[in-house]
Amino acid sequence: MTDAGSHAGRVALVTGAGRGIGRAIADAHAAAGAGVIYLDHDRALAEEAARVAMARGWRAVAVAADVADEASVAAAVRHGTETLGPVTLLVNNAGISPKSGSAGGKAFVWEMQAAEWRRVLDVNLTGAFLVTRAVVPQMREAGYGRIVSISSVAGRTYCDIVSVHYAATKAALIGFTKHLAGELGPSGITVNAVAPGRIDTPLMRGTAAEANEAVRLATPLQRLGTPDEVAGMCLFLTSDKAAFVTGQVCDVAGGWLMT
Ligand code: NAP
C-alpha cells in the first residue's frame, strides 16, 4: 500500500503555525500536497510562514486568530476555507506554557495566579475545542476527517519542568481526543493526540538550561527532539496509512516515557 496522493488536494488547518512545531507540521503538510491554512495569533509570523511556503510552490494562506477567541476563530476558518476549500485535516497545535514562576520558570501551585491558570486553559484546551467545532461540520459533510491534537508527555505523567496548568490542559486534550474519536468515528473522522517529549523550539527555551539537560540525560536517545520529528508523526496520522488509527496517544519522546 502507498499513501502517494494521500494529502494532495486536501486542506489542512494548523494552529500556532507561525513557528516551532506548528510551522514544521504546516510545512510538512504543504510539502505533501495539501493546501495549508497557517493560523497564528501573530499575524506577521503566519504571513511570513505562508509566504515562504508559497515561494516553494505550495498552496498556503495565512490567517491571524487567537484560538481562545470564538469570533476570531470563526472569521479565520471562514477566510481560510474561502481561499483554499473545506478543511478535512486539522492539527490543534497552538499552546502556551508561561515561564512566570520562581523555579526556573516553573510556577508552583501556591504561587500561581488564577488569571494565568485561566489563560492557559483558554488557549491550550478551549482553543482546541473552538477550532475543532468550527471545522467538524466541513469534515462531516465530506464524510472524511483527520484531527490531531498536540498533547505532551506532561499530560501523561509528572514532569517537574512544567507547571500544573500546562500539565492539566495536556491531560485534558487526551480525554478530548478519546471522546471525539468515539463521537466522530461513525462520520469517517479519526481523532488522535501526539505527545512530544522535549522538543527544541522557542517555547522550551524559556526553561532553565539545567532542566532541559536533565531531560536530555533521562531520554534514552540522549537528545531533545526536533519539530520535524513531531511533524512526521502528525503527517502519518493525517494520512490514509493511519485510516484505522483513532483515539490514540502517540509519543514522540525519544523513549523519555515508556508505557
Ligand atoms: P512555540 O514555539 O511557542 O510555538 C507556538 C506557536 O503558537 C507560536 O507561534 C505562538 O505564537 C502560537 N500561539 C500561542 N498562543 C496562541 C493563540 N492563542 N492563538 C493562536 N496561536 C497561538 O511552541 P512549540 O514548542 O512549537 O509548541 C507547539 C505545541 O507543542 C504546543 O501545544 C506545546 O504545548 C506542545 N509541546 C511542545 C513541547 C516542546 O518541548 N517544545 C513538548 C510537548 C508539547 P506566539 O509566539 O506569538 O505566542
Side-chain angles (χ1 to χ4, degrees):
M1 189 175 80
T2 167
D3 82 333
S6 187
H7 293 88
R10 300 204 184 280
V11 175
L13 170 59
V14 182
T15 69
R19 68 176 193 190
I21 295 169
R23 181 160 180 184
I25 295 167
D27 286 349
H29 282 78
V36 177
I37 302 168
Y38 285 72
L39 184 153
D40 203 285
H41 70 159
D42 185 322
R43 179 180 295 279
L45 276 183
E47 286 179 348
E48 174 60 9
R51 187 193 64 72
V52 171
M54 286 187 283
R56 291 172 171 159
W58 301 337
R59 289 187 305 135
V61 63
V63 292
D66 175 353
V67 293
D69 182 89
E70 192 170 0
S72 142
V73 167
V77 168
R78 200 176 318 116
H79 177 59
T81 303
E82 282 167 4
T83 310
L84 293 177
V87 173
T88 53
L89 316 177
L90 167 65
V91 183
N92 288 310
N93 164 81
I96 56 173
S97 182
K99 304 291 185 294
S100 60
S102 60
K106 173 198 167 99
F108 291 106
V109 68
W110 56 85
E111 61 183 347
M112 184 170 288
Q113 300 299 310
E116 186 178 281
W117 168 272
R118 289 197 188 95
R119 181 63 185 161
V120 172
L121 263 70
D122 278 354
V123 174
N124 294 8
L125 182 57
T126 306
F129 156 68
L130 290 173
V131 179
T132 300
R133 191 186 59 175
V135 300
V136 157
Q138 300 178 11
M139 295 182 180
R140 293 186 73 214
E141 173 87 19
Y144 181 95
R146 299 275 187 268
I147 299 171
V148 177
S149 296
I150 306 302
S151 173
S152 170
V153 163
R156 312 240 292 131
T157 188
Y158 176 65
C159 273
D160 67 357
I161 53 174
V162 305
S163 305
V164 66
H165 45 23
Y166 181 82
T169 61
K170 294 300 175 179
L173 281 175
I174 294 173
F176 177 79
T177 293
K178 290 179 188 288
H179 186 89
L180 287 189
E183 267 188 22
L184 299 176
S187 301
I189 302 167
T190 67
V191 191
N192 292 288
V194 170
R198 214 63 185 141
I199 309 298
D200 189 9
T201 70
L203 178 132
M204 60 135 268
R205 285 180 202 136
T207 305
E210 315 81 68
N212 285 324
E213 179 60 5
V215 173
R216 187 186 74 75
L217 293 173
T219 300
L221 291 179
Q222 297 282 287
R223 64 175 176 83
L224 305 184
T226 68
D228 284 343
E229 288 168 329
V230 180
M233 177 62 83
C234 293
L235 197 65
F236 167 69
L237 291 171
T238 59
S239 77
D240 288 346
K241 280 186 176 166
F244 205 50
V245 180
T246 197
Q248 304 306 305
V249 183
C250 303
D251 295 339
V252 181
W256 184 26
L257 174 69
M258 298 188 207
T259 55

